[in-house]
Amino acid sequence: MFGYITLTSAKELSENEKNNLTTIFDTVSFIVGSMVANINYWTDAILSAIDKGLIDPKDAKP
Amino acid sequence: MKNEVKKLKGIGIFKNFSESMLEEFAEFFSQTEYSSKDIVFKEEESGDTLLVVIDGEIIIEKCLDKAKGEFKTLAILGKGDFFGEMAVLGGQTRFAQARAVKDSVLYAINRPELINFIKKHPDAGVNVFTEITRITLDRLQHTSNELTMLFDMSKLLMKEHKSAPVFITQTIEEISKHLKGSWNINGYIKNRFDESYDLVASRENFMGDMADKNVKSDRVRRKGWMDNRTYLMAFPRKRGCSAI
């Protein structure tokens, strides 16, 4: 796992409230997870390229 | 019959039915039992039945990728909820798939029988349609909320992000704008040097009990509700990468 987000409600939620939120949270989780994976992939790729001397650290843009 | 009437009494769309009406109505219902993972109906199937969840849990899902078996969950329905009304009222094919996620008991009534009953009891019919409209409007509002949040999220995706923690911070800010009530939202990224997770972003609106800060690493693999207050969004490590 790259990471996670916890969302805690101040009040206890009913099954219906939880069900409604689940569909939204699942979608956001999918989008954010893909984006985090992409950011980490490119960060690793840039660091590796710097390490191999393929690019100048000054030109590296995250 | 008494047992059926008892079950129908607790269902929203029948709340204004008299005992005798329910008894008459119950005759038209057929009871079906589904095991967990059973498909109630498939997307684009023809059908003319309205289904009521008497027990269990049903997921309504839309297929995203048939070959990969990927679905987007549209709704999770429990005891007392109904579904299938689009096919019954609009005469359309099923817009999405319905699948049992727990062992479930459903009552089904088909369109001709529902219409006949309503013709015979117009007052009850008004109540049924009012309740169906109310629930449909609730579902429309829910979809609109989700769409608005996704629109805001898409703007976030178009921005340049220096690191995953920066992106998580902005995501948390965005999510918090759309949530009703008071929420504490915390974001964690795996430490590259050990197995721990570092808190990288936090938006707290009430004094928490710190419970969410102690998510065990094996629990992090499973997204979903940890209890009646806390939802965990987990970001799996993916192989390869798609261009943004």
Side-chain angles (χ1 to χ4, degrees), chain A residues 11-23, chain B residues 56-58 75-79 81 101-102 225-229:
Chain A
K11 73 170 184 85
E12 292 246 340
L13 301 167
S14 67
E15 280 306 308
N16 190 41
E17 287 172 314
K18 277 164 57 183
N19 286 346
N20 280 336
L21 286 166
T22 301
T23 60
Chain B
E57 200 168 271
I58 301 291
I76 304 165
L77 307 174
K79 195 175 174 179
D81 290 327
V101 277
K102 290 178 185 169
W225 289 98
M226 297 168 68
D227 51 42
N228 285 335
R229 289 175 50 213

Side-chain angles (χ1 to χ4, degrees), chain B residues 137-163:
Chain B
L137 289 174
D138 276 355
R139 289 176 185 167
L140 183 63
Q141 193 178 30
H142 172 75
T143 305
S144 302
N145 286 340
E146 189 168 343
L147 191 63
T148 312
M149 189 192 258
L150 289 178
F151 180 71
D152 279 350
M153 290 290 298
S154 71
K155 286 194 284 186
L156 199 59
L157 296 181
M158 296 305 288
K159 287 183 186 169
E160 203 171 84
H161 303 282
K162 288 186 173 169
S163 64

Side-chain angles (χ1 to χ4, degrees), chain A residues 2 4 8 18 20 26 38, chain B residues 184 188 190 228 231 241-242:
Chain A
F2 275 131
Y4 62 93
T8 304
K18 277 164 57 183
N20 280 336
D26 273 0
N38 272 315
Chain B
N184 286 346
Y188 302 81
K190 189 163 194 165
N228 285 335
Y231 185 90
C241 172
S242 56

Side-chain angles (χ1 to χ4, degrees), chain A residues 36 39-40 43 62, chain B residues 160-170 189:
Chain A
V36 170
I39 291 170
N40 280 349
T43 304
Chain B
E160 203 171 84
H161 303 282
K162 288 186 173 169
S163 64
V166 171
F167 174 68
I168 295 275
T169 305
Q170 290 177 345
I189 293 281

Side-chain angles (χ1 to χ4, degrees), chain A residues 2-58:
Chain A
F2 275 131
Y4 62 93
I5 290 176
T6 55
L7 302 103
T8 304
S9 164
K11 73 170 184 85
E12 292 246 340
L13 301 167
S14 67
E15 280 306 308
N16 190 41
E17 287 172 314
K18 277 164 57 183
N19 286 346
N20 280 336
L21 286 166
T22 301
T23 60
I24 294 177
F25 289 165
D26 273 0
T27 310
V28 172
S29 182
F30 178 78
I31 293 169
V32 177
S34 301
M35 188 67 176
V36 170
N38 272 315
I39 291 170
N40 280 349
Y41 176 86
W42 289 114
T43 304
D44 286 347
I46 289 167
L47 289 174
S48 171
I50 291 171
D51 203 35
K52 290 174 184 165
L54 297 173
I55 55 170
D56 190 315
K58 282 184 287 184

Side-chain angles (χ1 to χ4, degrees), chain B:
Chain B
M1 186 60 68
K2 285 279 174 202
N3 199 26
E4 271 82 23
V5 170
K6 217 171 168 184
K7 285 174 185 170
L8 288 176
K9 227 173 184 176
I11 311 291
I13 44 174
F14 310 123
K15 65 183 174 190
N16 293 317
F17 280 33
S18 67
E19 190 107 345
S20 61
M21 260 189 223
L22 281 176
E23 265 182 45
E24 190 182 339
F25 201 49
E27 286 176 31
F28 299 117
F29 275 99
S30 56
Q31 181 176 314
T32 327
E33 288 171 21
Y34 293 88
S35 299
S36 173
K37 296 182 185 170
D38 279 356
I39 306 292
V40 180
F41 56 70
K42 286 185 177 169
E43 190 175 328
E44 291 178 6
E45 240 178 41
S46 59
D48 69 344
T49 46
L50 174 81
L51 296 118
V52 180
V53 184
I54 299 299
D55 203 8
E57 200 168 271
I58 301 291
I59 271 189
I60 308 297
E61 55 193 4
K62 185 94 182 152
C63 185
L64 300 178
D65 188 325
K66 219 171 186 174
K68 290 181 186 169
E70 281 179 6
F71 289 87
K72 159 82 176 94
T73 300
L74 302 178
I76 304 165
L77 307 174
K79 195 175 174 179
D81 290 327
F82 63 85
F83 60 101
E85 73 283 1
M86 284 165 82
V88 171
L89 301 180
Q92 306 161 359
T93 54
R94 302 294 189 189
F95 173 73
Q97 172 170 285
R99 177 172 56 88
V101 277
K102 290 178 185 169
D103 291 349
S104 302
V105 179
L106 304 180
Y107 273 1
I109 183 166
N110 64 31
R111 181 184 160 90
E113 282 169 343
L114 180 69
I115 300 295
N116 277 343
F117 181 82
I118 286 167
K119 275 183 187 164
K120 211 168 154 190
H121 304 280
D123 286 350
V126 170
N127 288 327
V128 168
F129 284 119
T130 304
E131 191 63 13
I132 289 177
T133 308
R134 191 186 66 76
I135 299 289
T136 306
L137 289 174
D138 276 355
R139 289 176 185 167
L140 183 63
Q141 193 178 30
H142 172 75
T143 305
S144 302
N145 286 340
E146 189 168 343
L147 191 63
T148 312
M149 189 192 258
L150 289 178
F151 180 71
D152 279 350
M153 290 290 298
S154 71
K155 286 194 284 186
L156 199 59
L157 296 181
M158 296 305 288
K159 287 183 186 169
E160 203 171 84
H161 303 282
K162 288 186 173 169
S163 64
V166 171
F167 174 68
I168 295 275
T169 305
Q170 290 177 345
T171 299
I172 286 176
E173 285 303 312
E174 209 54 64
I175 296 171
S176 66
K177 285 183 204 165
H178 293 272
L179 291 176
K180 285 178 191 163
S182 203
W183 289 79
N184 286 346
I185 312 175
N186 293 298
Y188 302 81
I189 293 281
K190 189 163 194 165
N191 189 310
R192 282 171 181 263
F193 305 103
D194 59 34
E195 289 301 301
S196 66
Y197 289 87
D198 298 331
L199 178 68
V200 293
S202 181
R203 189 182 173 96
E204 304 226 316
N205 291 313
F206 65 93
M207 288 287 282
D209 53 10
M210 303 294 283
D212 59 319
K213 298 212 167 45
N214 294 312
V215 179
K216 287 182 182 162
S217 56
D218 60 331
R219 179 61 184 85
V220 177
R221 294 176 199 282
R222 299 193 310 274
K223 68 172 186 182
W225 289 98
M226 297 168 68
D227 51 42
N228 285 335
R229 289 175 50 213
T230 301
Y231 185 90
L232 186 129
M233 284 182 187
F235 311 131
R237 189 175 288 277
K238 288 173 185 154
R239 284 183 184 183
C241 172
S242 56
I244 299 164

